[in-house]
């Protein structure tokens, strides 16, 4: 599908027309399964203005389902860039009152949130990182009812991708614009299992495999995992007491099943940030703010990165590891089979939503409160005391080599294969 053959203009137009039904089904999938809209409910849709065509499909479908209202928040890379270039850091410390009211009131009214993203991977290169960090912190703390609604299961939400030209050109360099856009649409449909006749059914099936994998891992309650592959990875990582594996569908407090990420392939937890030892070698490049780190390795002792190297981008890797006090420790450990549609595309998407779902990965930086029993009731210090890392950053990197073996070791010392040859060791059906 991603051969080097160039398509003629006619072929691009014909193929694009041919997938228009799939694109409509994708809109239905996002509304009905992703954001899981129910009759009478509000939907908040954020979407790049460049994809107004797709936004209209989503809004139409939401009203077909019976949405009470759809609030559209238009996004644009170039305008965001102009804002960053023309405001100083202080501007971002305060979220405008009307914006707080919009997000908080809609969250309180029980809205579902659909965040469609598609942006230029290089769109923010050179922007003062403090502005981006302060803006995101302000939104998280000042739009509290909105943030808590998402984090504590009061509102359903879904993040999914839509193509925009600058992104398509990055993923498919050297192609004509129309062909690059077509190929990115195809890649999005394929990776979200929306390229067939019944994507909603596919997602029900997909979620059943998540349920099985989570159940297996949670039942074993491993003491630690051991990773080995021929590229040099030879590493053990401890699990916290009471760790919980998550992944697949989310569920609101009132029982609505939704998909926070589409695509999603990972089953993940937060490991014990005080227990990691040995060598981890990368399986795919790491993209960080438009910079690429290739062929890198990290050596851990007692949970901490003590040495590292890279064929390319070592300084970037250093800036990630030394971001703050605990960014040298792990916050996530995620398992992804190599038999997933994302991996099969062989593409680098320059977007974590896709790239982190291509392979088993680890993340340096902060861990997740939902990945330990009682985590939502713990303070940051308590989480840290239980081994759940706390940092202002979270950066995923891929370790899922094709031959990766992962063995889980229980507190009784029993060894259980989890991954063999880069795939789940047990049947996932
Ligand atoms: Zn992950």
């Amino acid at each position: 599908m991603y051969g080097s053959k160039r398509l003629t203009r006619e072929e691009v137009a014909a193929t694009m027309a041919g997938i228009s039904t799939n694109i409509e089904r994708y809109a239905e999938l996002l509304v009905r399964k992703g954001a899981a809209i129910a009759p009478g409910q509000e939907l908040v849709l954020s979407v790049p203005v460049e994809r107004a065509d797709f936004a209209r499909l989503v809004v139409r479908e939401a009203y077909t389902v019976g949405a009470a209202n759809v609030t559209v928040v238009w996004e644009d890379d170039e305008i965001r860039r102009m804002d960053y270039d023309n405001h100083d850091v202080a501007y971002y410390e305060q979220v405008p009152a009307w914006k707080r009211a919009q997000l908080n009131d809609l969250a309180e009214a029980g809205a579902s949130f659909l965040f469609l993203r598609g942006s230029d991977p290089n769109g923010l290169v050179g922007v003062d990182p403090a502005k981006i960090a302060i803006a995101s912190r302000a939104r998280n703390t000042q739009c509290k009812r909105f943030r808590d609604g998402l984090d504590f299961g009061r509102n359903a939400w879904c993040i999914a991708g839509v193509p925009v030209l600058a992104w398509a050109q990055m993923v498919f360099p050297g192609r004509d614009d129309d062909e690059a856009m077509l190929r990115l649409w195809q890649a999005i449909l394929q990776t979200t299992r929306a390229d067939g006749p019944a994507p909603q059914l596919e997602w029900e099936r997909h979620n059943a495999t998540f349920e099985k994998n989570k159940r297996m891992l949670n039942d074993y309650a491993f003491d630690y995992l051991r990773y080995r592959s021929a590229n040099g990875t030879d590493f053990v990582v401890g699990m916290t007491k009471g760790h919980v594996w998550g992944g697949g569908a989310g569920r609101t407090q009132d029982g609505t099943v939704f998909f926070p990420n589409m695509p999603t392939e990972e089953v993940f937890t937060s490991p014990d940030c005080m227990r990691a030892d040995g060598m981890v070698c990368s399986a795919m490049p790491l993209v960080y703010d438009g910079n690429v780190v290739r062929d890198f390795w990290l050596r851990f002792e007692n949970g901490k990165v003590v040495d590292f190297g890279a064929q390319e981008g070592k300084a970037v890797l250093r800036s990630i590891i030394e971001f703050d006090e605990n960014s040298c420790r792990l916050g996530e450990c995620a398992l992804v089979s190599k038999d997933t549609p994302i991996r099969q595309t062989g593409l680098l998407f320059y977007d974590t939503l896709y790239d982190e779902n291509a392979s088993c990965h680890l993340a340096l930086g902060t861990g997740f409160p939902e990945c330990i029993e009682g985590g939502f009731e713990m303070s940051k210090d308590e989480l840290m005391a239980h081994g759940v890392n706390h940092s202002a950053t979270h950066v995923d990197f891929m370790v899922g080599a094709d031959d990766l073996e992962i063995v889980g070791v229980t507190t009784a010392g029993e060894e259980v294969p989890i991954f063999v040859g880069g795939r789940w060791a047990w049947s996932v059906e």
Side-chain angles (χ1 to χ4, degrees):
M1 187 172 186
Y2 301 101
S4 55
K5 185 179 156 286
R6 229 163 264 277
L7 301 177
T8 64
R9 190 169 292 189
E10 291 70 30
E11 283 170 326
V12 169
T15 314
M16 197 64 216
I19 63 169
S20 64
T21 314
N22 300 93
I23 292 174
E24 282 170 26
R25 289 196 193 114
Y26 180 53
E28 292 165 14
L29 174 72
L30 298 178
V31 168
R32 291 172 187 257
K33 290 284 177 193
I37 276 286
Q41 202 184 2
E42 299 258 355
L43 175 66
V44 182
L45 169 65
S46 93
V47 57
V49 68
E50 197 181 318
R51 277 287 67 71
D53 49 359
F54 187 72
R56 292 183 198 112
L57 294 179
V58 168
V59 173
R60 181 175 307 141
E61 183 62 15
Y63 283 127
T64 302
V65 174
N69 186 54
V70 184
T71 302
V72 180
V73 179
W74 298 104
E75 304 283 352
D76 185 69
D77 276 346
E78 286 186 44
I79 291 175
R80 174 175 304 145
R81 176 78 209 211
M82 288 177 217
D83 287 340
Y84 276 125
D85 289 345
N86 284 283
H87 295 306
D88 55 20
V89 176
Y91 171 83
Y92 293 98
E93 283 164 5
Q94 200 61 39
V95 178
W98 66 267
K99 189 77 203 168
R100 292 202 304 267
Q102 182 192 45
L103 291 174
N104 287 336
D105 290 359
L106 285 163
E108 208 143 84
S112 183
F113 290 82
L114 179 54
F115 306 100
L116 295 182
R117 43 189 240 183
S119 59
D120 179 357
N122 291 319
L124 297 181
V125 169
V127 170
D128 179 357
K131 291 182 186 175
I132 302 171
I134 287 167
S136 118
R137 197 175 315 139
R139 194 165 117 125
N140 288 343
T141 53
Q142 294 168 30
C143 305
K144 199 168 163 27
R145 283 172 287 154
F146 160 70
R147 192 64 245 177
D148 287 354
L150 306 191
D151 288 348
F152 294 92
R154 283 194 285 274
N155 299 87
W157 54 280
C158 174
I159 301 174
V162 287
V164 296
L165 185 57
W167 181 24
Q169 287 167 332
M170 185 93 181
V171 182
F172 299 101
R175 306 280 172 172
D176 290 344
D177 291 352
D178 286 353
E179 183 179 346
M181 283 295 286
L182 166 67
R183 285 178 183 267
L184 187 52
W185 256 130
Q186 288 176 312
I188 288 172
L189 295 172
Q190 185 186 351
T191 55
T192 53
R193 299 160 194 262
D195 52 349
Q200 295 180 53
L201 251 171
E202 286 297 322
W203 276 80
E204 278 167 29
R205 222 172 280 154
H206 188 33
N207 200 43
T209 73
F210 277 111
E211 292 302 326
K212 166 150 190 195
N213 290 331
K214 286 191 294 186
R215 195 171 59 242
M216 296 289 279
L217 293 164
N218 286 328
D219 286 353
Y220 278 116
F222 292 114
D223 179 32
Y224 64 91
L225 310 186
R226 191 175 65 225
Y227 290 60
R228 276 195 190 129
S229 61
N231 68 357
T233 294
D234 189 355
F235 163 77
V236 293
V237 59
M239 298 286 107
T240 67
K241 275 201 185 61
H243 68 275
V244 176
W245 291 89
R251 190 182 287 269
T252 61
Q253 289 172 5
D254 67 8
T256 303
V257 174
F258 65 99
F259 285 94
N261 286 183
M262 288 183 139
T264 183
E265 302 290 344
E266 57 171 349
V267 176
F268 61 92
T269 192
S270 288
D272 184 342
C273 64
M274 298 298 173
R275 289 197 296 152
D277 288 278
M279 182 76 131
V280 174
C281 299
S282 66
M284 284 173 67
L286 158 60
V287 180
Y288 183 71
D289 282 349
N291 298 300
V292 184
V293 188
R294 286 180 210 276
D295 298 318
F296 58 96
W297 55 269
L298 306 169
R299 198 160 60 75
F300 286 85
E301 269 176 33
N302 300 317
K304 228 174 134 164
V305 176
V306 292
D307 198 8
F308 59 93
Q311 284 296 328
E312 186 187 327
K314 187 171 175 185
V316 178
L317 187 58
R318 179 186 304 280
S319 75
I320 295 168
I321 294 166
E322 297 177 356
F323 186 89
D324 62 18
E325 192 192 343
N326 292 324
S327 54
C328 56
R329 295 181 184 277
L330 295 172
E332 181 187 353
C333 168
L335 306 179
V336 180
S337 167
K338 69 180 179 188
D339 295 327
T340 58
I342 299 177
R343 176 69 154 267
Q344 283 158 7
T345 66
L347 294 171
L348 188 58
F349 283 86
Y350 301 93
D351 182 330
T352 316
L353 176 64
Y354 296 85
D355 293 330
E356 79 156 356
N357 278 299
S359 153
C360 281
H361 55 270
L362 299 165
L364 289 168
T366 211
F368 308 119
E370 72 261 37
C371 289
I372 188 162
E373 279 166 29
F376 282 135
E377 282 77 52
M378 293 182 195
S379 68
K380 284 162 187 137
D381 289 343
E382 285 171 312
L383 283 165
M384 197 73 201
H386 284 81
V388 178
N389 199 21
H390 179 67
S391 160
T393 190
H394 178 101
V395 180
D396 297 272
F397 59 96
M398 310 303 142
V399 300
D402 277 344
D403 65 339
L404 180 64
E405 310 273 324
I406 304 176
V407 172
V409 183
T410 65
T411 42
E414 187 196 350
E415 301 204 351
V416 180
I418 302 174
F419 262 60
V420 175
R423 302 184 170 93
W424 293 97
W426 47 72
S427 145
V428 294
E429 298 303 317

